Each structure stands twice: as structure tokens, then as C-alpha cells.
Amino acid sequence: MLHPVGDLPAGVYWRRRALVAALALSVVGGGGWLASSAGAGSAPDTRVASSTTDVEPTLDAPSLDQVVPSLAAVVTPADAAPTAADPVPTETPADVPVAADPPAPTLTAGQPCTDDMIAVDVVPPAPQAAVGNKPTFTLVVTNTSPVPCTRSLDAGLREVVLLDAAGARVWGSNDCFPEVSSDPRTLAVGEAVSFPVQWGGLTSEPTCTAPRVNPAAGGYQLQGRLDTKTGGTTAFTLV
């Protein structure tokens, strides 16, 4: 190696070796320079990134529950309470149940006359009478039902009473002179049965033990009764 042998002079071979060695050194030197340049160029970037990290901290990304509202806080139209302006739904007449009227009782000809099948009235001989007079009143029982019916019209069940303007009892036809009789009747449709009742012109009460006196002049009312059926009132005046 140190003593090249060839046809050319020895100096030629040494120059060639020197040229190859120089090329090798150039390659090695250039590679080292490139390596040092690359290392030197990357270091500032690292320091800048580190400096940026220290000075300006990165902002954390908002969590999902901050971005998307909670479903519990979202009010849907179905959950919204009606306001005063919102119309309140009401049932239509077709939706409102209608209570059915109870069936009318079946009436049979010849059945007993109930209280709602008859009317009881008192008819005075005149709208007024003098104090102390003894007028005769008429008690009238009428079948107001659409069928004939039966009813006991016994004397002990019939009564005419005189009431003052406040509705207090003044006289009753059965107080002092009660009568007893058996009088069942079959009343035709619309039939009216009349019974005369005379008043003695004095006050009375059911036991007939209180003193009997002439009532004062003024406005009164007459009312008839047949057992449990009580009729309306008729105005009557004493003068």
C-alpha cells in the first residue's frame, strides 16, 4: 500500500491517493456540518415552544355539558303551563254526559190516589166576611191524574184551617167538633168532590181548651187538608 507498483511514476499514484483522501475528508466534514446545523436549528424552536407554553397557557376546551344544554332545562310545548291568553279546553256539549230523567211511574186505573194525583182547595162563600159571622167554606178534592184512582175521603181526614198573615193557626175545623166516617171513593179522571165546612167565627186550637174569641179584623188565609195532602192557600178577609 505504501509502495505502489505500476507502469506510471510513483508520484502519480501518491497524488491520486491524496485526492481520494481529500474527498473523503470533505464528505466527513460536510456531514458533520449538516448534523450540527440541524441540531442548532431545532433548538430555538424547542425553546420558543417551551417559552410559549410557560407564558400563554392553552385554554381548555369547554366540556360537553357546557356546550349542550341539559335536557331537563329544555321546556317542551307539552310541558309548558298554559298562560292566561291560552284558551282553556272545554268539553263540548256532545261530550258532557246528560243525566237521564227518571222514568215516570206507571199509572193503573183503579190504583190508590197518591198525594201527587189529587188537589185540595178551599173555596170561601165570599172573599171577606164580618167579624163574628159564621161563613161556610167548601173543601174540594180533585183527581188530577190521567187515570181513575181510589182515595179515602173520611170526615176525620178532611180539615179546613184559618191562618193569620204570619201563618199562625187561628182556627181548625177538627179542633172542637171532629167527625168520624168511612168514605172510600173512586175518583174519575178530573172528578172533584166538595164538602161544606162551617166555621163558628171563633178561634180554636187542637185541644179546644184555650178560650175561644173572635179574631181581629184583617187579612187571613184558608188552607185545606186531606190526610197527608195539604193544599195551597186562599186569601180571606175579616172586616
Side-chain angles (χ1 to χ4, degrees):
M1 295 293 296
L2 298 176
H3 302 281
V5 178
D7 295 336
L8 298 176
V12 174
Y13 293 105
W14 283 111
R15 287 193 294 272
R16 291 180 176 175
R17 291 182 180 180
L19 180 61
V20 171
L23 291 175
L25 291 174
S26 299
V27 170
V28 171
W33 180 83
L34 291 175
S36 62
S37 299
S42 62
D45 293 339
T46 302
R47 288 193 298 271
V48 170
S50 175
S51 176
T52 304
T53 304
D54 295 338
V55 176
E56 296 179 7
T58 58
L59 298 177
D60 293 336
S63 59
L64 182 60
D65 59 353
Q66 294 175 335
V67 176
V68 181
S70 173
L71 293 179
V74 178
V75 179
T76 62
D79 298 331
T83 62
D86 295 335
V88 179
T90 58
E91 292 182 321
T92 61
D95 299 331
V96 178
V98 179
D101 294 333
T106 303
L107 300 179
T108 305
Q111 73 174 65
C113 300
T114 58
D115 286 350
D116 58 352
M117 297 172 67
I118 61 174
V120 179
D121 300 290
V122 178
V123 180
Q128 62 184 25
V131 174
N133 279 5
K134 300 179 181 180
T136 298
F137 307 122
T138 302
L139 180 68
V140 182
V141 179
T142 306
N143 177 10
T144 59
S145 74
V147 297
C149 59
T150 60
R151 182 83 181 217
S152 176
L153 306 180
D154 297 352
L157 302 178
R158 305 191 305 261
E159 184 178 28
V160 175
V161 296
L162 182 69
L163 308 173
D164 63 15
R169 183 188 178 99
V170 176
W171 164 80
S173 59
N174 290 345
D175 290 346
C176 298
F177 305 101
E179 298 182 18
V180 178
S181 68
S182 178
D183 191 4
R185 300 278 186 102
T186 297
L187 303 176
V189 177
E191 181 180 1
V193 182
S194 300
F195 302 94
V197 178
Q198 186 178 22
W199 176 37
L202 302 176
T203 60
S204 67
E205 45 85 26
T207 63
C208 201
T209 57
R212 304 187 64 191
V213 298
N214 291 323
Y220 293 86
Q221 294 179 330
L222 292 168
Q223 188 173 49
R225 178 181 66 84
L226 177 66
D227 196 12
T228 56
K229 174 66 174 183
T230 301
T233 58
T234 301
F236 183 68
T237 304
L238 290 177
V239 294

